[in-house]
Amino acid sequence: MVHRGYYGEFGGSFIPEVLFSSIEELADVFGQAREDPGFRAEYENILSTYSCRPTPLTFAENLTRYFGSARIYIKREDLNHTGAHKLNNVMGQGLLAKRMRKPRVIAETGAGQHGVATATMAARFGLQCTIYMGMVDMARQRPNVFWMERLGAEVVPVRDGTRLLKDAINEALRDWITNMDTTHYVLGTACGPHPFPEMVAWFQSIIGREAREQIMKYEGRLPTRVYACVGGGSNALGIFNAFFNDPVALVGVEAGGQGLYTGKHAARLSSRDGAVGVAHGYKGCFLQDRDGQMKQTHSVAAGLDYVGVSPVLASLKCKGRVRFEAATDEEVLKAFSLVVRKEGLVPALESAHAFAQAFKELPDLCGHDIILINQSGRGDKDIFTIADAFGDPGWQAFIKERAAEYDA
Ligand SMILES: *Cc1c(COP(=O)(O)O)cnc(C)c1O
């Protein structure tokens, strides 16, 4: 069991014995579904009729002119239903839950986006739904909590630990152990025990397949570099996947937070603070102290604020196939403003990390180069954080009040 699902030295399946049969069942059902053309057709059909696939590839004409360097293309995952790439994964897992005849789904969520996507899928497929969310994240992402509840999900506040995503993951795992006969755990990113990393990456690979076809149609050649932000790693693997065998540079951008030297970041692969360890069901690279305790992470983007990262990406770093960089909160907010003003696009703060790193590197490139940036989601959900960052005192008071509500 533990030997399956390894990517180099990373991955595996480190779970309590009681979960073995559930994980085994999931791996089998996914294995069969992946080979079944009927399943693939059903999956693609629901994404094109219910979400917005294929999502467009937008030529960023104004940014291209502004930088006077490479031609800039943006893959528009923000146009998916519920506003991010998350739905690609969640609808796929929903179809698998139905195949396994499980009437209930649970999920953990950080930014709230995965919770909203899961609650949406559950409503559509008629499944019961429970979402675990850290209390700090609940305060930061109030609108997402509101919508999950309207969609019929039960949102359980997690008061343990740092009250962030990693604490919500522990709670969700506890629930799964208790209710595994009736419940499928919809993991939100390419992490966790096998088969989750492979399965989530497979569902997200639709992003790269489309993007590759689109850029070949528009430009007749491949991009020089592809940029994606890296939280758990699912949108990055989704777009990178189509270019692994091509001479295309792949750049994963992590949360540099307040700076790599402050310790307040979530740069697991791009800083020296990440170390190999086992947590949340897999062997990977985690931000931890010398005793192996998980560190606090920091990012202006809740969706990148996670101590671990996909074992698939950790392995691709070791192989030298993907380069990892970090963008600081400040760089990200600047890049965000530039994208809004120049293109009228509103990227999520997570996605703005990919833009920030691309903008830093544009001076190294020339007019013959093409870059592709994955806009993983839209920024509407970040309204409070952005207003706060740009120093609007009215909003600051509003946010403090909301946070106090959840602490009560
Ligand atoms: C959740 C989220 C991310 C981070 O998750 P990955 O698995 O790394 O893709 C990035 N962007 C947006 C918009 C998100 O909602």
Side-chain angles (χ1 to χ4, degrees), residues 268-284:
R268 300 128 313 179
L269 297 173
S270 57
S271 80
R272 287 157 179 267
D273 298 351
V276 176
V278 173
H280 302 156
Y282 65 103
K283 185 175 179 192

mmCIF file of all heavy atoms in Angstrom, residues 268-284:
data_model
loop_
_atom_site.group_PDB
_atom_site.id
_atom_site.type_symbol
_atom_site.label_atom_id
_atom_site.label_comp_id
_atom_site.label_asym_id
_atom_site.label_seq_id
_atom_site.Cartn_x
_atom_site.Cartn_y
_atom_site.Cartn_z
ATOM 1 N N ARG A 268 7.318 26.729 0.423
ATOM 2 C CA ARG A 268 7.801 25.420 0.822
ATOM 3 C C ARG A 268 8.908 24.924 -0.087
ATOM 4 O O ARG A 268 9.838 24.265 0.347
ATOM 5 C CB ARG A 268 6.625 24.428 0.839
ATOM 6 C CG ARG A 268 5.569 24.891 1.823
ATOM 7 C CD ARG A 268 4.199 24.961 1.220
ATOM 8 N NE ARG A 268 4.126 25.616 -0.065
ATOM 9 C CZ ARG A 268 3.034 25.766 -0.764
ATOM 10 N NH1 ARG A 268 1.914 25.293 -0.301
ATOM 11 N NH2 ARG A 268 3.037 26.378 -1.922
ATOM 12 N N LEU A 269 8.787 25.245 -1.379
ATOM 13 C CA LEU A 269 9.769 24.737 -2.345
ATOM 14 C C LEU A 269 10.745 25.810 -2.817
ATOM 15 O O LEU A 269 11.778 25.496 -3.380
ATOM 16 C CB LEU A 269 9.037 24.130 -3.557
ATOM 17 C CG LEU A 269 8.156 22.907 -3.244
ATOM 18 C CD1 LEU A 269 7.347 22.490 -4.471
ATOM 19 C CD2 LEU A 269 9.003 21.738 -2.758
ATOM 20 N N SER A 270 10.425 27.080 -2.605
ATOM 21 C CA SER A 270 11.283 28.149 -3.109
ATOM 22 C C SER A 270 12.103 28.813 -2.005
ATOM 23 O O SER A 270 12.847 29.732 -2.262
ATOM 24 C CB SER A 270 10.431 29.204 -3.830
ATOM 25 O OG SER A 270 9.447 29.717 -2.958
ATOM 26 N N SER A 271 11.955 28.354 -0.766
ATOM 27 C CA SER A 271 12.794 28.889 0.317
ATOM 28 C C SER A 271 13.572 27.730 0.930
ATOM 29 O O SER A 271 13.375 26.573 0.557
ATOM 30 C CB SER A 271 11.941 29.549 1.407
ATOM 31 O OG SER A 271 11.398 28.572 2.261
ATOM 32 N N ARG A 272 14.443 28.038 1.891
ATOM 33 C CA ARG A 272 15.186 26.967 2.561
ATOM 34 C C ARG A 272 14.441 26.448 3.780
ATOM 35 O O ARG A 272 14.963 25.612 4.518
ATOM 36 C CB ARG A 272 16.545 27.518 3.023
ATOM 37 C CG ARG A 272 17.496 27.731 1.888
ATOM 38 C CD ARG A 272 18.547 28.765 2.262
ATOM 39 N NE ARG A 272 19.487 28.961 1.160
ATOM 40 C CZ ARG A 272 20.624 28.300 1.032
ATOM 41 N NH1 ARG A 272 20.990 27.432 1.946
ATOM 42 N NH2 ARG A 272 21.404 28.516 0.007
ATOM 43 N N ASP A 273 13.221 26.944 3.992
ATOM 44 C CA ASP A 273 12.498 26.589 5.219
ATOM 45 C C ASP A 273 11.696 25.288 5.117
ATOM 46 O O ASP A 273 11.192 24.795 6.117
ATOM 47 C CB ASP A 273 11.556 27.730 5.634
ATOM 48 C CG ASP A 273 12.321 29.011 5.940
ATOM 49 O OD1 ASP A 273 13.566 28.942 5.995
ATOM 50 O OD2 ASP A 273 11.690 30.064 6.098
ATOM 51 N N GLY A 274 11.564 24.749 3.905
ATOM 52 C CA GLY A 274 10.798 23.516 3.729
ATOM 53 C C GLY A 274 11.661 22.302 4.025
ATOM 54 O O GLY A 274 12.862 22.308 3.760
ATOM 55 N N ALA A 275 11.065 21.260 4.614
ATOM 56 C CA ALA A 275 11.823 20.037 4.900
ATOM 57 C C ALA A 275 10.924 18.833 4.666
ATOM 58 O O ALA A 275 9.707 18.923 4.792
ATOM 59 C CB ALA A 275 12.325 20.060 6.337
ATOM 60 N N VAL A 276 11.552 17.716 4.350
ATOM 61 C CA VAL A 276 10.793 16.498 4.079
ATOM 62 C C VAL A 276 10.146 15.989 5.362
ATOM 63 O O VAL A 276 10.771 15.992 6.425
ATOM 64 C CB VAL A 276 11.715 15.410 3.477
ATOM 65 C CG1 VAL A 276 10.948 14.105 3.277
ATOM 66 C CG2 VAL A 276 12.295 15.897 2.155
ATOM 67 N N GLY A 277 8.899 15.615 5.263
ATOM 68 C CA GLY A 277 8.194 15.104 6.430
ATOM 69 C C GLY A 277 6.942 14.364 6.003
ATOM 70 O O GLY A 277 6.624 14.305 4.811
ATOM 71 N N VAL A 278 6.244 13.791 6.974
ATOM 72 C CA VAL A 278 4.986 13.111 6.695
ATOM 73 C C VAL A 278 3.883 13.794 7.479
ATOM 74 O O VAL A 278 3.973 13.943 8.693
ATOM 75 C CB VAL A 278 5.050 11.616 7.087
ATOM 76 C CG1 VAL A 278 3.677 10.964 6.949
ATOM 77 C CG2 VAL A 278 6.072 10.882 6.238
ATOM 78 N N ALA A 279 2.846 14.254 6.769
ATOM 79 C CA ALA A 279 1.685 14.850 7.430
ATOM 80 C C ALA A 279 0.510 14.791 6.454
ATOM 81 O O ALA A 279 0.711 14.614 5.243
ATOM 82 C CB ALA A 279 1.960 16.298 7.822
ATOM 83 N N HIS A 280 -0.697 14.932 6.984
ATOM 84 C CA HIS A 280 -1.903 14.981 6.157
ATOM 85 C C HIS A 280 -1.979 13.829 5.148
ATOM 86 O O HIS A 280 -2.502 13.987 4.055
ATOM 87 C CB HIS A 280 -2.011 16.336 5.431
ATOM 88 C CG HIS A 280 -2.027 17.493 6.382
ATOM 89 N ND1 HIS A 280 -1.638 18.764 6.044
ATOM 90 C CD2 HIS A 280 -2.365 17.558 7.695
ATOM 91 C CE1 HIS A 280 -1.732 19.570 7.090
ATOM 92 N NE2 HIS A 280 -2.176 18.852 8.106
ATOM 93 N N GLY A 281 -1.407 12.694 5.525
ATOM 94 C CA GLY A 281 -1.557 11.489 4.715
ATOM 95 C C GLY A 281 -0.512 11.253 3.652
ATOM 96 O O GLY A 281 -0.598 10.290 2.899
ATOM 97 N N TYR A 282 0.503 12.120 3.537
ATOM 98 C CA TYR A 282 1.511 11.904 2.491
ATOM 99 C C TYR A 282 2.889 12.370 2.938
ATOM 100 O O TYR A 282 3.027 13.142 3.891
ATOM 101 C CB TYR A 282 1.121 12.648 1.203
ATOM 102 C CG TYR A 282 1.092 14.172 1.314
ATOM 103 C CD1 TYR A 282 2.133 14.947 0.797
ATOM 104 C CD2 TYR A 282 0.027 14.822 1.936
ATOM 105 C CE1 TYR A 282 2.100 16.341 0.880
ATOM 106 C CE2 TYR A 282 0.000 16.203 2.036
ATOM 107 C CZ TYR A 282 1.030 16.960 1.501
ATOM 108 O OH TYR A 282 1.004 18.319 1.601
ATOM 109 N N LYS A 283 3.908 11.857 2.226
ATOM 110 C CA LYS A 283 5.270 12.301 2.470
ATOM 111 C C LYS A 283 5.558 13.436 1.501
ATOM 112 O O LYS A 283 5.398 13.282 0.285
ATOM 113 C CB LYS A 283 6.247 11.143 2.224
ATOM 114 C CG LYS A 283 7.677 11.487 2.558
ATOM 115 C CD LYS A 283 8.563 10.263 2.396
ATOM 116 C CE LYS A 283 10.010 10.618 2.700
ATOM 117 N NZ LYS A 283 10.915 9.537 2.277
ATOM 118 N N GLY A 284 5.930 14.582 2.042
ATOM 119 C CA GLY A 284 6.126 15.734 1.173
ATOM 120 C C GLY A 284 7.070 16.733 1.792
ATOM 121 O O GLY A 284 7.820 16.416 2.719
#
